[in-house]
Amino acid sequence: AGLVIPSGVAITKFTVAAWVRRVASVGAERELARIVSLSDPSDVPLFELGYNKDSETKLQVGVGGALSPGKMTTARDLLPLDTWVFVAMTYDDMAAREACFYFGSEAKEVELVECVDYNGRALRGGPARLSVGNAAAEVARLGAKSAMFPGDIDNVTVYLGVALDATELVKLQRD
């Protein structure tokens, strides 16, 4: 989908959240699978949320660039097979640790997994392409099938300009 971030505006906070159900990948181990991706018209990723590889499923984010070499959780196995889970990531370039990862399930209220330092980056304004389940950047989307998320994604939410707190994420998870 296409959207426009007002030109000249730097987005210093954002939130990405989704319900996901990962299924077993066919063939080689999937790496750098995207859940949500946003890129500019020149195919430079503004942000990407996904996971590192099938054997670990650490949540990973790229801000102002591609998913790799972005930052990831130390927590493993956050996306079990055939189970719906709620994942979220908030970014605030003024926070001590800018990127925070959250996890919940149908039986468990969303909670903070951990926050990581990302050295303060802002998203540039202008036209943007949003992709759910694959890379938004055409080069990554067409060049590597491993960029595709293996499974189902539902109730995707992207808030530009706000980093939701844990209480707001719980409400979002319940909606």
Side-chain angles (χ1 to χ4, degrees), residues 3-165:
L3 61 107
V4 175
I5 301 169
S7 293
V9 173
I11 305 296
T12 60
K13 299 178 183 182
F14 65 91
T15 301
V16 183
W19 280 94
V20 299
R21 184 179 67 88
R22 186 173 68 93
V23 298
S25 297
V26 176
E29 178 174 64
R30 191 156 308 226
E31 295 182 357
L32 303 173
R34 275 66 165 199
I35 297 170
V36 180
S37 177
L38 184 71
S39 72
D40 69 14
S42 62
D43 271 356
V44 174
L46 299 174
F47 75 79
E48 294 189 314
L49 175 64
Y51 69 91
N52 64 328
K53 58 186 174 181
D54 287 340
S55 61
E56 290 184 345
T57 64
K58 294 179 181 181
L59 290 177
Q60 185 167 351
V61 66
V63 178
L67 191 58
S68 176
K71 302 291 184 168
M72 72 179 85
T73 62
T74 56
R76 300 170 58 124
D77 306 322
L78 292 174
L79 302 175
L81 287 173
D82 300 315
T83 303
W84 282 101
V85 295
F86 180 81
V87 296
M89 191 279 305
T90 62
Y91 182 83
D92 181 348
D93 78 348
M94 296 302 288
R97 298 204 177 270
E98 294 89 353
C100 294
F101 298 93
Y102 296 83
F103 173 85
S105 66
E106 293 176 309
K108 182 179 179 183
E109 195 169 85
V110 66
E111 62 184 24
L112 177 66
V113 174
E114 70 185 290
C115 295
V116 297
D117 186 21
Y118 215 112
N119 300 325
R121 300 174 185 205
L123 306 180
R124 302 175 312 282
R129 181 183 314 121
L130 179 69
S131 178
V132 175
N134 204 343
E138 190 171 322
V139 171
R141 188 176 63 253
L142 299 177
K145 291 184 180 180
S146 64
M148 293 177 58
F149 181 83
D152 301 309
I153 302 173
D154 198 9
N155 291 1
V156 174
T157 307
V158 177
Y159 290 94
L160 298 177
V162 63
L164 298 179
D165 64 22

